[in-house]
Amino acid sequence: QERMTGEWAEALKGRKVIFLAHSMGGLVTTWWYHHYFKNPEIKHTFGGIEQVIFLGTPHSGSPAMLFLMLDRYTANLDPGWISKKFQSRVFGDLNRAAFSFPSIYQILPHYTKDRPVIKRQHHALGEESLDHFQAKVWRKYDLLKWQREQVGDNKKVFYDRIAPLLRDGGLFQQQLAALPEIDEAVYFY
């Protein structure tokens, strides 16, 4: 937004803009469109939006991201020793750092009680749906035990640290779900 109304304003003056957004960039574009472009208090110098093109944008979140979190980030590389060393080094560092990125939680799938993503068998209750944006669920089942142990935290410290990220990610997904589609948009999945 700062660049659109600041340093790019003169170059874009009077021109129609085409946005090409991929994956999380599409979620950011959707957020910007509804909160900045459609805001009558913000003046834009460009002549409007010609089109927004979404490529593989997970508008309802990405179940794949949730499963990557639960199963560790890995790559299907050749099983040779060089590849294993590379994978261990790159993905080991990524695994340690990724849980501090707010975007990881913002791209988690939108949760509703009638459309849960995680279900567990409970001996007395039968099948139960788990709200994956609740830190108490992650803590109770220690869903990220592998990550917690990798960083050396106890359960309370680790899940207290990710609790605000989960909460904010859930709020972000709720707010996105409430936004209307963009009229000028084309969606490719």
Side-chain angles (χ1 to χ4, degrees), residues 6-146:
E7 65 186 86
W8 296 349
E10 189 59 36
L12 295 174
K13 192 172 187 172
R15 299 174 75 181
K16 286 204 169 224
V17 178
I18 297 173
F19 288 91
L20 178 62
H22 174 255
S23 193
M24 184 70 182
L27 301 182
V28 171
T29 300
T30 300
W31 186 264
W32 173 86
Y33 178 87
H34 290 289
H35 289 89
Y36 293 98
F37 179 68
K38 288 293 192 177
N39 184 338
E41 296 177 13
I42 298 175
K43 302 298 179 216
H44 299 281
T45 60
F46 60 94
I49 294 177
E50 179 76 27
Q51 192 166 49
V52 179
I53 302 167
F54 292 110
L55 299 172
T57 298
H59 292 282
S60 295
S62 172
M65 179 54 69
L66 179 60
F67 298 126
L68 282 172
M69 287 176 73
L70 295 172
D71 290 338
R72 303 180 189 195
Y73 299 97
T74 58
N76 294 326
L77 299 175
D78 180 83
W81 71 270
I82 293 174
S83 295
K84 285 182 182 176
K85 199 72 159 160
F86 172 79
Q87 182 175 346
S88 170
R89 176 70 179 160
V90 170
F91 289 99
D93 290 346
L94 177 60
N95 282 331
R96 282 186 290 282
F99 290 88
S100 64
F101 302 160
S103 58
I104 295 293
Y105 303 90
Q106 292 170 339
I107 205 167
L108 291 177
H110 180 67
Y111 172 82
T112 59
K113 288 185 180 186
D114 59 326
R115 198 183 79 173
V117 180
I118 302 177
K119 295 180 180 180
R120 289 188 68 99
Q121 272 309 117
H122 189 276
H123 66 282
L125 302 174
E127 189 174 78
E128 65 176 326
S129 300
L130 305 179
D131 180 350
H132 55 273
F133 287 109
Q134 297 295 319
K136 64 184 179 185
V137 168
W138 293 78
R139 182 183 297 116
K140 177 180 179 180
Y141 296 105
D142 205 5
L143 295 175
L144 294 176
K145 182 178 180 180
W146 68 270

